[in-house]
Amino acid sequence: DDASMKDIAKVAVGFPDHTTLVSALKQADLVDVLVNPGPFTVFAPTNEAFKKLPKGTLDDLMKPGKKTDLQNILQYHVTTSSLKGDYFKDGQTIGMVNGDNVTVRIKEGKIVLNNSATVIASVQASNGMVHIIDGVLLPPAKK
């Protein structure tokens, strides 16, 4: 029922604090993926989270020649399950779409990912969950 619950892409587009994320998803050709039935859990960085990246990083990633790198980072924010907040446990690892893992910590009752991004809000979507985070998750460097 599209009227009562939005899919993950519509949730992101509907939040004014996700304009950078939406632009990155469009640049990486990943918007259509997030309207699929899923289920997905997306850890969605805010505009402020993207501003915490080193100067020039986002501009560099948004260049056409960096599409693969951008896709890798964005896919590191998605898992193929619908995970509500009460699912997460301290020390847990979660496999992400890009093939890498994220480590969960519970600190003072808050969900923290890779010791770098805290879940600040959660929104149920028709095809999964959106957890809004205050940092951008960067995949581990490939060896």
Side-chain angles (χ1 to χ4, degrees):
D1 177 16
D2 243 9
S4 63
M5 193 175 290
K6 297 176 180 177
D7 63 43
I8 289 170
K10 288 180 183 143
V11 168
V13 168
F15 274 42
D17 203 21
H18 283 144
T19 54
T20 305
L21 175 61
V22 171
S23 294
L25 288 166
K26 287 178 182 173
Q27 180 67 23
D29 290 328
L30 292 175
V31 174
D32 289 345
V33 174
L34 296 178
V35 300
N36 287 332
F40 303 108
T41 296
V42 174
F43 297 100
T46 62
N47 293 342
E48 283 300 312
F50 280 102
K51 289 179 185 174
K52 292 179 187 177
L53 289 171
K55 188 170 177 54
T57 301
L58 183 62
D59 290 338
D60 189 50
L61 285 168
M62 295 295 277
K63 292 177 181 170
K66 294 289 189 163
K67 184 174 177 178
T68 303
D69 294 337
L70 182 61
Q71 287 173 334
N72 183 46
I73 290 170
L74 293 172
Q75 290 171 346
Y76 190 57
H77 289 76
V78 181
T79 189
T80 55
S81 304
S82 181
L83 307 176
K84 294 187 175 169
D86 59 2
Y87 170 83
F88 300 106
K89 307 290 179 239
D90 192 56
Q92 179 179 29
T93 57
I94 299 169
M96 307 308 278
V97 170
N98 78 332
D100 291 312
N101 293 322
V102 165
T103 302
V104 176
R105 295 280 176 229
I106 306 298
K107 294 182 180 175
E108 298 174 9
K110 295 191 183 293
I111 302 163
V112 181
L113 308 170
N114 289 351
N115 292 318
S116 65
T118 301
V119 173
I120 54 176
S122 299
V123 180
Q124 178 78 52
S126 62
N127 58 345
M129 286 295 299
V130 178
H131 295 287
I132 300 164
I133 57 175
D134 65 358
V136 176
L137 302 171
L138 296 175
K142 297 294 181 205
K143 293 177 183 166

